[in-house]
Amino acid sequence: MKIDWILNGGYAGRDQSEVQHHIDELAALGVPAPKTTPTLYPLSQHLVSQGTLLQAPHARSSGEAEWAMIVGDNPDDILIAAACDHTDRALEVHGVAWSKQSFPDMIGDVAWRYADIEASLDGFTLQGWVSHGGTELLIQDGTPAQLLSPRYWIDRLRAAGLLRAGTLLLSGTIPMTPGIDQFAEGWRVALADGAGNVSRVAYRVDVLPRAWE
């Protein structure tokens, strides 16, 4: 499916205490708090990938486990998949919108039609793992019920004239487990329906050589 517009939701938890938890997580990295929540960040069209390698200019970038919503030719034809929003944390302290332009949104390999799962999506699991030295650690463990629903975003985008064919929206993320290093050699995300169907994102992060200046 051709992606023409990319939108990243942020600070989009249903429970405001969890939203504040994520704001506090980012504040510890020097990221300023948003003026309002939820937030919405438009990205350049090319910033989407289903690849297995992400090349970073430094070691201060990390992913976030999310779901993705893809709008088909008909605004009622909507797909849901796993996603990982990879972000430049060093740049994020200067501007979240800028940092979102630094890396692609990584999208899962399987998608569900939203019409088929709307009633059950809250019961899915949403998990993220990081890799360090060949060891994988569970850093995010939750459900889509912690996040604003696709229906919320459908209504908001429709009202704003942004519910267009070829639109990709990422949901915002769930809290990370304290004490686990998010600046990892690899990220893996899984969105699972409990019936054996799983949408997966998995990629390694390679830090590029230093620039010669």
Side-chain angles (χ1 to χ4, degrees):
M1 180 179 294
K2 185 173 182 289
I3 301 299
D4 293 311
W5 294 276
I6 302 174
L7 303 169
N8 279 16
Y11 308 101
R14 294 186 205 180
D15 182 338
Q16 286 300 299
S17 66
E18 289 198 354
V19 172
Q20 188 60 50
H21 177 79
H22 186 50
I23 290 172
D24 293 343
E25 285 176 343
L26 296 180
L29 301 174
V31 179
K35 294 183 175 68
T36 61
T37 60
T39 54
L40 190 67
Y41 303 102
L43 273 66
S44 300
Q45 177 193 39
H46 67 282
L47 292 173
V48 58
S49 176
Q50 289 184 306
T52 58
L53 171 65
L54 189 151
Q55 294 178 309
H58 54 74
R60 297 283 293 180
S61 70
S62 70
E64 295 180 342
E66 310 197 3
W67 54 255
M69 180 178 84
I70 305 105
V71 183
D73 292 338
N74 182 326
D76 294 321
D77 182 18
I78 289 173
L79 301 176
I80 303 293
C84 195
D85 172 11
H86 204 90
T87 301
D88 187 325
R89 299 300 187 193
L91 183 57
E92 196 169 32
V93 302
H94 302 289
V96 175
W98 294 348
S99 71
K100 298 293 183 184
Q101 299 287 341
S102 298
F103 295 104
D105 288 336
M106 310 298 282
I107 307 302
D109 58 350
V110 169
W112 294 263
R113 292 195 180 279
Y114 183 51
D116 296 337
I117 63 166
E118 182 171 3
S120 60
L121 181 59
D122 279 357
F124 284 31
T125 57
L126 178 61
Q127 297 174 300
W129 294 263
V130 290
S131 298
H132 290 284
T135 300
E136 194 171 61
L137 301 170
L138 181 65
I139 190 170
Q140 293 179 279
D141 188 9
T143 76
Q146 294 170 260
L147 299 166
L148 295 171
S149 69
R151 180 58 55 189
Y152 168 88
W153 288 111
I154 290 167
D155 293 343
R156 287 291 303 272
L157 295 185
R158 181 179 285 118
L162 298 175
L163 191 69
R164 301 171 288 194
T167 295
L168 169 70
L169 177 135
L170 265 65
S171 63
T173 195
I174 57 178
M176 292 187 186
T177 302
I180 296 180
D181 184 4
Q182 64 182 278
F183 302 117
E185 299 164 3
W187 272 82
R188 182 166 67 90
V189 172
L191 179 67
D193 65 5
N197 303 302
V198 185
S199 180
R200 298 179 177 87
V201 175
Y203 59 95
R204 73 178 193 273
V205 180
D206 283 355
V207 177
L208 295 167
R210 293 182 64 181
W212 292 10
E213 297 180 304

